């Protein structure tokens, strides 16, 4: 027992030291993006870089060669290097919305190390920031009653799987209520998974806010994984540490749709503890 405790303490000390080192290396007093006075400023410390550009979803769209061929994509704008080695670019505040961006340092795509807020779309991580306004007000975490988010495993005999995973949202007050709730099944787009709506689409914040405002009826929201070959999001089940793909096996070939035809029955059993 003493040996186990010593090993556990040693691991915790090592983890703590590694975490402190990571924080010291990757963060500092740089605020990026900085939103003030109706402007947004991007900053990146890269003293040895020869060129740094920023790409944001609200920049002007231009024709550009991509891995999918010639497509319209946001313009990449050069940043200006300061004497302190910090590259900056300031532009007018974009419209109220969730906006995404990234940097390219000497041609290499990278995220903003000063911004911990990121979202994943298939296999691509991108930094984001929120601009407040009427259109985006429900994307924010507000002072309202919050619902509960659960990751629920259920059997899927139609797809030949003992278990698959879905995300389930239950509204505030659900646990203490005896009422019946409507159920909404919210399916993601191509390349998504059971985490897409709750993490990428900010569905949880939207439902919390709309229900609190009386604009939506309290409801249960079921967000399944529409990829018939997956048990869950890559990395979320055994032997699944692979790169997510836009076109997964069994995509739009009918097996998931067949499984979906009996989905209400299967989910009803899996959600039997929901009222």
């Amino acid at each position: 027992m003493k040996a186990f405790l010593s090993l556990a303490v040693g691991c915790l000390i090592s983890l703590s030291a590694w975490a402190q080192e990571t924080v010291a290396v990757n963060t500092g007093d740089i605020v990026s993006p900085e939103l003030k006075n109706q402007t947004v400023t991007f900053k990146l410390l890269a003293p040895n870089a020869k060129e740094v550009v920023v790409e944001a979803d609200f920049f002007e769209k231009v024709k550009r060669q991509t891995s999918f061929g010639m497509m319209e994509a946001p313009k990449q704008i050069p940043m200006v290097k300061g004497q302190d080695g910090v590259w900056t670019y300031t532009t007018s505040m974009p419209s109220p919305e969730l906006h995404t961006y990234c940097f390219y340092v000497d041609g290499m795509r990278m995220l903003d190390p000063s911004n911990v807020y990121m979202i994943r779309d298939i296999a691509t991580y991108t930094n984001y920031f929120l601009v407040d306004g009427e259109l985006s007000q429900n994307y924010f975490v507000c002072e309202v009653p919050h619902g509960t988010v659960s990751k629920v495993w259920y059997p899927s005999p139609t797809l030949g799987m003992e278990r698959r995973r879905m995300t389930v949202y239950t509204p505030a007050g659900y646990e203490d209520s005896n009422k019946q709730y409507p159920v909404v099944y919210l399916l993601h787009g191509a390349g998504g998974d059971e985490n897409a709506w709750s993490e990428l689409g900010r569905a949880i914040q939207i439902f919390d806010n709309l229900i609190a405002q009386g604009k939506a009826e309290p409801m249960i929201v079921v967000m399944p994984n529409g990829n018939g070959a997956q048990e869950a999001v890559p990395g979320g089940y055994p032997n699944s540490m692979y790169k997510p793909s836009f076109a997964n096996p069994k995509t739009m070939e009918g097996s998931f749709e067949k499984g979906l035809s009996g989905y209400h029955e299967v989910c009803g059993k899996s959600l039997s503890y929901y009222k």
Side-chain angles (χ1 to χ4, degrees):
M1 184 65 178
K2 290 183 178 179
F4 172 78
L5 289 175
S6 297
L7 178 61
V9 170
C11 290
L12 288 174
I13 292 174
S14 299
L15 179 61
S16 175
W18 175 82
Q20 291 175 359
E21 180 181 357
T22 301
V23 169
V25 169
N26 291 325
T27 62
D29 58 359
I30 296 176
V31 176
S32 177
E34 185 175 26
L35 283 65
K36 67 177 183 180
N37 301 327
Q38 293 302 306
T39 65
V40 54
T41 299
F42 302 100
K43 302 177 185 178
L44 178 68
L45 176 63
N48 298 320
K50 296 179 181 179
E51 180 188 46
V52 178
V53 300
V54 58
E55 177 183 301
D57 64 349
F58 59 92
F59 288 173
E60 177 189 0
K61 300 297 188 293
V62 295
K63 290 284 187 179
R64 204 169 74 227
Q65 188 65 38
T66 71
S67 57
F68 296 101
M70 189 65 70
M71 298 182 64
E72 276 198 348
K75 187 176 182 180
Q76 296 180 344
I77 299 179
M79 301 174 70
V80 178
K81 183 179 182 181
Q83 293 184 351
D84 56 359
V86 176
W87 297 73
T88 63
Y89 174 72
T90 300
T91 186
S92 300
M93 187 77 71
S95 60
E97 183 53 274
L98 183 152
H99 292 288
T100 59
Y101 71 98
C102 67
F103 297 129
Y104 286 84
V105 180
D106 294 335
M108 177 67 71
R109 185 185 190 276
M110 68 172 291
L111 298 177
D112 186 347
S114 298
N115 183 359
V116 300
Y117 301 104
M118 296 174 285
I119 52 178
R120 177 180 65 86
D121 189 3
I122 310 179
T124 302
Y125 277 91
T126 310
N127 289 110
Y128 77 89
F129 62 95
L130 288 164
V131 177
D132 197 4
E134 184 177 358
L135 181 63
S136 62
Q137 61 181 346
N138 290 320
Y139 298 167
F140 287 82
V141 177
C142 300
E143 292 292 344
V144 299
H146 298 299
T148 300
V149 181
S150 305
K151 301 296 182 181
V152 180
W153 292 90
Y154 66 96
S156 182
T158 303
L159 293 177
M161 297 181 184
E162 293 184 4
R163 64 190 68 83
R164 300 192 79 233
R165 195 175 77 169
M166 57 187 171
T167 299
V168 179
Y169 167 87
T170 51
Y174 169 84
E175 290 81 2
D176 301 319
S177 174
N178 291 317
K179 65 175 288 187
Q180 296 289 320
Y181 289 84
V183 180
V184 172
Y185 293 88
L186 192 57
L187 188 61
H188 56 77
D193 48 58
E194 76 274 17
N195 289 350
W197 273 110
S198 60
E199 297 179 2
L200 177 62
R202 299 191 75 79
I204 309 309
Q205 291 82 3
I206 292 172
F207 280 112
D208 276 349
N209 291 325
L210 291 180
I211 290 172
Q213 296 164 18
K215 296 179 179 178
E217 182 179 353
M219 66 186 76
I220 298 170
V221 183
V222 178
M223 293 161 271
N225 186 322
N227 301 299
Q230 294 179 347
E231 294 180 21
V233 58
Y237 60 101
N239 303 314
S240 66
M241 298 292 287
Y242 57 86
K243 183 178 180 180
S245 172
F246 180 80
N248 291 290
K250 298 186 179 181
T251 297
M252 302 302 291
E253 49 77 71
S255 60
F256 176 75
E257 289 74 12
K258 181 180 179 182
L260 194 61
S261 64
Y263 197 71
H264 293 273
E265 179 182 356
V266 173
C267 287
K269 294 178 181 177
S270 304
L271 300 174
S272 59
Y273 59 92
Y274 293 117
K275 304 178 183 68

